[in-house]
Amino acid sequence: MAFKNILNRSWVVNILFLIILLTLNVLINIQYTPLSNTKVYLYQGISVLAVYIMAVLHNKYMLQLLIMKRQYWQYIWLLAGWLTVTTAITYGLRVHIFKVDIEMFWIGDLVFAVTCLLVGIGLWFMYRQATLHTMELRNSLLMRDKEIQYLQSQLNPHFFFNTLNNLYGVSLRYPNKTPELILSISELLRYQLESSRKQLVPLEDELQFIRNYVHLERARVRQRCQVNFKKKGSEKDLLITPLILITFVENAFKYAPSSIQASYIKVELEIRNETLLLRIRNTVPANKSSVSSTGVGLNNVKQRLALAYPDKHTLVTHEENNIYHTELLLTLERHASTPLPDRR
């Protein structure tokens, strides 16, 4: 991190780049001029340094007139002055101070200055484009994180609302079970509140949450619906976005139970390496009455999947012969043996 902060300082980058230029200058000229001719190498090094400083001043101050303020004529006059001063510096170093290549006309110094200027402008635009791209990427990631947090925050009242409906239904039919169910619901809500502050949670915790929810719903539907829950594979060391699976399970329990015809819910989880496959099949009674719900769940989870697992998930849902099929394929991350990030 400290090294990265150092590289973020422009003067450090300029010094490193200048060292590279001087090294390349020596490596190229060593093929034509022996190292013993120190006067030539000293002249070239000082010339490169002088022109580099002039190019930095041009990019830092003069380009602002062209790019930001669009003062074209003022820029042209300053550019003419820049070329004059830079050419005069390199000409004076070559002819009057180091006295090398005296026979060469000043046009060569002007061409050298223009070449360095064009290279400097090209590098400046490349750096500017990379900086803008980095800023856009950073802003995009911040916006995505804020959107995920917003969508995740919607689940709290949604889940609470639907769970209270379930508790109300059970308390009417089996009042003696109410205290036990209240305790189970409190555990579910505790996990939901704690996990909603995290970007990732252990998959084993998430699956235990789903098991607890299925146990709670079994008590509600009783003989009205056959419930099967199966898991294959190991969830150890895998991480998942919290509460990304529960909506599909909750949706099955919302619509499947029927007191008129046979109904069932089958939840199957298969884990292979970093791949998680969730399959849910549930009956949908033809005469199913409307269900009290916030209507937030499925739309919410689809948006969260698109944000948290872009190009890493496949979701297929369809209804056939009064059976609703849900299949979700996720590519998960491995545990890095580090504390999970907390988004308080």
Side-chain angles (χ1 to χ4, degrees):
M1 184 62 69
F3 180 72
K4 185 177 179 181
N5 290 335
I6 290 173
L7 289 181
N8 284 336
R9 299 176 183 177
S10 59
W11 63 270
V12 176
V13 175
N14 281 315
I15 290 175
L16 291 174
F17 189 72
L18 184 57
I19 291 173
I20 293 172
L21 283 179
L22 293 172
T23 303
L24 287 174
N25 178 69
V26 172
L27 292 175
I28 292 172
N29 284 282
I30 199 172
Q31 303 177 40
Y32 311 100
T33 307
L35 283 174
S36 57
N37 195 347
T38 56
K39 183 187 290 188
V40 172
Y41 286 99
L42 191 59
Y43 151 69
Q44 291 176 346
I46 295 177
S47 295
V48 170
L49 176 62
V51 174
Y52 186 84
I53 292 173
M54 293 296 292
V56 169
L57 292 175
H58 170 272
N59 291 346
K60 188 172 181 62
Y61 299 106
M62 292 173 56
L63 271 183
Q64 303 300 319
L65 298 175
L66 183 66
I67 304 298
M68 303 299 179
K69 300 182 180 180
R70 302 186 181 280
Q71 298 178 2
Y72 301 111
W73 285 109
Q74 189 173 351
Y75 173 77
I76 290 173
W77 285 110
L78 287 173
L79 181 60
W82 185 93
L83 289 171
T84 301
V85 172
T86 305
T87 302
I89 290 173
T90 55
Y91 181 82
L93 288 170
R94 178 172 56 84
V95 175
H96 298 293
I97 297 178
F98 291 98
K99 294 181 172 45
V100 295
D101 298 329
I102 298 177
E103 67 281 357
M104 189 173 69
F105 201 50
W106 62 268
I107 293 295
D109 299 289
L110 177 61
V111 171
F112 177 66
V114 171
T115 303
C116 292
L117 177 66
L118 293 177
V119 172
I121 291 174
L123 291 173
W124 184 85
F125 274 105
M126 289 174 61
Y127 175 78
R128 182 171 180 266
Q129 195 65 29
T131 302
L132 290 175
H133 179 71
T134 302
M135 292 177 61
E136 288 176 2
L137 183 61
R138 186 181 301 165
N139 291 336
S140 175
L141 291 174
L142 288 173
M143 290 296 295
R144 192 189 76 165
D145 188 59
K146 287 183 179 296
E147 191 170 351
I148 289 175
Q149 290 186 48
Y150 169 71
L151 291 170
Q152 209 153 283
S153 69
Q154 286 185 314
L155 288 177
N156 288 326
H158 167 79
F159 185 81
F160 186 66
F161 176 87
N162 291 331
T163 304
L164 285 180
N165 275 338
N166 295 344
L167 179 62
Y168 174 72
V170 174
S171 65
L172 291 178
R173 294 184 178 90
Y174 314 103
N176 60 317
K177 292 284 186 180
T178 302
E180 178 186 346
L181 292 179
I182 290 176
L183 184 61
S184 299
I185 289 174
S186 68
E187 286 297 313
L188 291 173
L189 293 177
R190 180 189 61 79
Y191 173 80
Q192 195 217 20
L193 290 173
E194 290 179 355
S195 64
S196 65
R197 293 194 294 265
K198 298 175 180 177
Q199 292 179 340
L200 296 170
V201 295
L203 179 59
E204 51 191 328
D205 292 350
E206 190 73 7
L207 295 187
Q208 186 58 49
F209 171 71
I210 292 175
R211 288 190 191 94
N212 293 340
Y213 179 79
V214 170
H215 176 72
L216 175 67
E217 287 294 317
R218 273 200 180 108
R220 178 177 69 89
V221 299
R222 294 263 173 165
Q223 290 84 13
R224 294 187 299 128
C225 183
Q226 181 183 358
V227 180
N228 290 317
F229 180 88
K230 293 181 180 180
K231 182 190 74 73
K232 181 180 179 181
S234 174
E235 66 268 34
K236 187 178 180 182
D237 297 331
L238 289 174
L239 301 173
I240 190 171
T241 299
L243 309 173
I244 204 81
L245 304 177
I246 188 63
T247 303
F248 300 108
V249 180
E250 184 185 6
N251 197 59
F253 277 102
K254 188 189 303 179
Y255 294 101
S258 172
S259 56
I260 301 175
Q261 63 188 74
S263 60
Y264 68 84
I265 297 171
K266 294 182 179 180
V267 180
E268 298 177 357
L269 282 156
E270 185 176 345
I271 305 165
R272 293 182 180 177
N273 298 323
E274 286 82 26
T275 302
L276 170 68
L277 177 60
L278 170 67
R279 289 195 188 96
I280 300 178
R281 285 177 293 168
N282 61 274
T283 52
V284 181
N287 60 343
K288 186 69 177 179
S289 58
S290 60
V291 179
S292 179
S293 171
T294 62
V296 172
L298 283 177
N299 290 331
N300 181 293
V301 78
K302 288 177 181 178
Q303 293 178 61
R304 292 179 64 215
L305 282 168
L307 290 168
Y309 295 96
D311 303 321
K312 291 185 178 182
H313 82 279
T314 303
L315 174 63
V316 179
T317 59
H318 68 279
E319 184 178 341
E320 184 179 352
N321 298 326
N322 290 336
I323 299 176
Y324 196 81
H325 299 261
T326 301
E327 187 169 302
L328 174 65
L329 186 68
L330 279 179
T331 301
L332 305 179
E333 297 181 23
R334 279 282 172 192
H335 207 295
S337 299
T338 54
L340 297 175
D342 199 325
R343 296 190 304 205
R344 294 179 189 271

